[in-house]
Amino acid sequence: MQRDPDMPVWPGQEAPGTQRRSSRKWVIGAVAGVAIVGAGGVAAAFALQSPAKKGADSLSADQARAAAVVTTPTAAQAATATQQFLASWAGAQNAAAAQATDQPGAAQAALQGYATGLHTTKVAFTGVTAGAADPAVAHAVRTTFHATATLEGGTALSYAGTADVIVVNGKPEIHWQPSVLYPGLQAGQTLTYGKISATSAIVVDRHGATLTTKAYPSLGGVISSLQAEDAGKVTQTPGEGIAITGADGKTVKVLKTVRAAVPGTIKTTLDAAIQAAAEKAVNDTNIGKMPADVVAIDYTTGEIRAAAFRGGDAALNGAAAPGSTMKMITSATLFDKAGAHPSDPAPCVKSTVINGQTFHNFQNEMDPTANLTKDFAISCNTGFINEATGKLHSGDLREEAQDVFGIGDWHIGVPTTDGNVPDENGSTNLIAAQSIGQGQVTMNTLAMASVVATIADTGFHQPIIVPGLPQQTAKRPISATTAAEIRQMMVVTATASYGTAEPRMQGINGGAKTGTAETASGTNGWFAAYDTDNHLAVDALVIGGKEGVLTAGYVARDVLLAG
């Protein structure tokens, strides 16, 4: 093992013939036996000589480090080296202890940080034993020991420690790494004794009702994420204890609690009653055991009222082709960029061929007199494909999704997967596929619920699950005309006898769009809708669903009625 070429050379480590300018001497006391106990205060930190010196001394030191020869110690050498190191540490001789390592500078700083962070009054070590080789460090023999650090006020921290020993240029040394101080300690981390924040918090809905994983299984990830991010910030009364602290000052792990912290409260935008309905909805008997996801948003604010799933969290973190629910974005793109209108003729043919590729309607729908509204309502693919490929350009769908509907990088308060409408890069065939929610388009129920919300409220409100978070604005707000025209199409889809969403929208004042996305293994059912009575925008997905109305429609309806 080579020495770190950036490490300063310490007394006793120079290459033969190298002259030292420093006259400082370090003394390491002899150690007899295995048990080692040290007492007393913490030694003051010593000033380190800068290694950034010019001239012959620096050159000689570099040469010496490069020529270091590393070999394997005997068990006796490893035990003795560890005893000497621990004796200096126990005696608060941090500089001397550091000299017994292969990285004196890093070791001395870390030992001083240990004493300062823990406010130690005594550190004791017993039971030094040399064991087997450490396969993770070349030529190292691992030694073990028992450590007890006594802190101000009498609190003690006891643990089993380890150290690797190597022989460098004939001298047994401790191979320095942060875990010598405490098992598992990483670079940049320190041990601290003092105030500790709560590691958990009470997560509540918008009315103050407590949300738990037991009552709302789908919120397990949401609750864990919120607690990990915000529990410390909302701590009501700090506790006292010993913790591993990261370089950012945040608690990584509490090792010992002397006095427990009193947790605070994290408020969310969720609504316990709607969440309960969503949990029940993804288990609706009409969809059997198929995995399902649903998200409900207050479309006037962007606040998430519920997010539930069964069979994997695709509600906030899924990525799947949205099928014909994408036609909401495609319609907006046609209206905004091509000047189209819902009444424009758009014959629904059984199939259409684009550059040799045949596209068909899922159930062979056909109406040669259809306009865009009829195509939307009966979910005709060919009508939309012919309109999109004839009137839109590469990148138009992507731009509309991002600029008008805000699809992109959201920060809602917990981790999510963003929706994505890639540029078609000049491919007419990809425009055809992506206009009907196939191709490379990926969405989840959060993203599509937001699309519905933007249409319902004539404005994009970035979804959030923690109230008060900054919400991104749309680069180009949806026009009142475009929003009204799409709502008109969604109402027809929800109320007309031929509308694909009509069976699930009875008794609900609003509009809807169904979707069936074809996948490599089958189909997925989608259902997007809004209700003007409760201001909810909902999107549901059933993995394996043959048709949106026959699967996801039940899930969405259950949630809309609960609002």
Side-chain angles (χ1 to χ4, degrees), residues 97-184:
Q99 286 267 6
T101 75
D102 62 349
Q103 297 181 46
Q108 183 171 347
L111 288 164
Q112 184 61 42
Y114 179 99
T116 303
L118 287 177
H119 304 285
T120 56
T121 59
K122 181 171 67 174
V123 185
F125 305 94
T126 59
V128 177
T129 303
D134 181 356
V137 179
H139 300 292
V141 170
R142 171 150 292 192
T143 60
T144 59
F145 54 88
H146 184 78
T148 300
T150 304
L151 320 182
E152 292 177 358
T155 297
L157 175 66
S158 296
Y159 55 93
T162 64
D164 286 334
V165 180
I166 57 177
V167 176
V168 181
N169 291 335
K171 176 188 174 185
E173 295 180 337
I174 302 296
H175 172 59
W176 183 256
Q177 45 196 341
S179 59
V180 173
L181 296 177
Y182 186 85

Side-chain angles (χ1 to χ4, degrees), residues 206 219 268-271 274-275 294-298 301-308 316 410 412-414 416 446 449 462-466 471 536:
R206 65 190 183 117
L219 295 182
T268 70
T269 64
L270 296 166
D271 186 295
I274 301 175
Q275 180 65 36
V294 66
V295 169
I297 297 175
D298 182 330
T301 63
E303 294 184 347
I304 299 170
R305 295 292 183 238
L316 303 181
W410 295 347
I412 75 167
V414 297
T416 61
L446 172 64
Q462 186 216 289
I464 53 174
I465 206 165
V466 175
Q471 293 171 275
L536 284 184

Side-chain angles (χ1 to χ4, degrees), residues 308-449:
F309 62 88
R310 178 179 67 180
D313 180 14
L316 303 181
N317 287 292
S324 288
T325 56
M326 177 68 186
K327 290 171 184 170
M328 294 183 288
I329 295 176
T330 303
S331 295
T333 311
L334 286 168
F335 299 162
D336 290 348
K337 295 185 176 295
H341 296 284
S343 58
D344 288 355
C348 180
V349 294
K350 190 172 292 186
S351 63
T352 187
V353 179
I354 305 296
N355 295 328
Q357 181 179 3
T358 300
F359 292 88
H360 60 86
N361 297 318
F362 181 66
Q363 292 187 322
N364 297 315
E365 295 90 350
M366 188 173 69
D367 184 347
T369 65
N371 56 21
L372 272 175
T373 295
K374 185 69 175 290
D375 287 340
F376 190 95
I378 65 175
S379 208
C380 176
N381 291 334
T382 58
F384 267 85
I385 287 172
N386 288 333
E387 285 293 295
T389 56
K391 298 179 179 179
L392 299 181
H393 299 94
S394 181
D396 282 350
L397 291 169
R398 178 176 182 267
E399 184 178 285
E400 191 81 5
Q402 291 181 344
D403 293 356
V404 175
F405 291 94
I407 300 299
D409 187 14
W410 295 347
H411 300 281
I412 75 167
V414 297
T416 61
T417 298
D418 299 316
N420 184 36
V421 181
D423 194 302
E424 296 85 3
N425 293 317
S427 170
T428 303
N429 293 69
L430 203 51
I431 292 175
Q434 298 196 161
S435 71
I436 59 170
Q438 300 286 163
Q440 298 173 0
V441 177
T442 56
M443 295 285 180
N444 52 40
T445 48
L446 172 64
M448 293 311 296

Side-chain angles (χ1 to χ4, degrees), residues 4 35 42 95 97 216 218 248 254 403 411 419 485 507 546:
D4 184 344
V42 177
Y216 310 99
S218 298
D248 58 0
V254 175
D403 293 356
H411 300 281
E485 289 180 335
K546 184 177 180 181

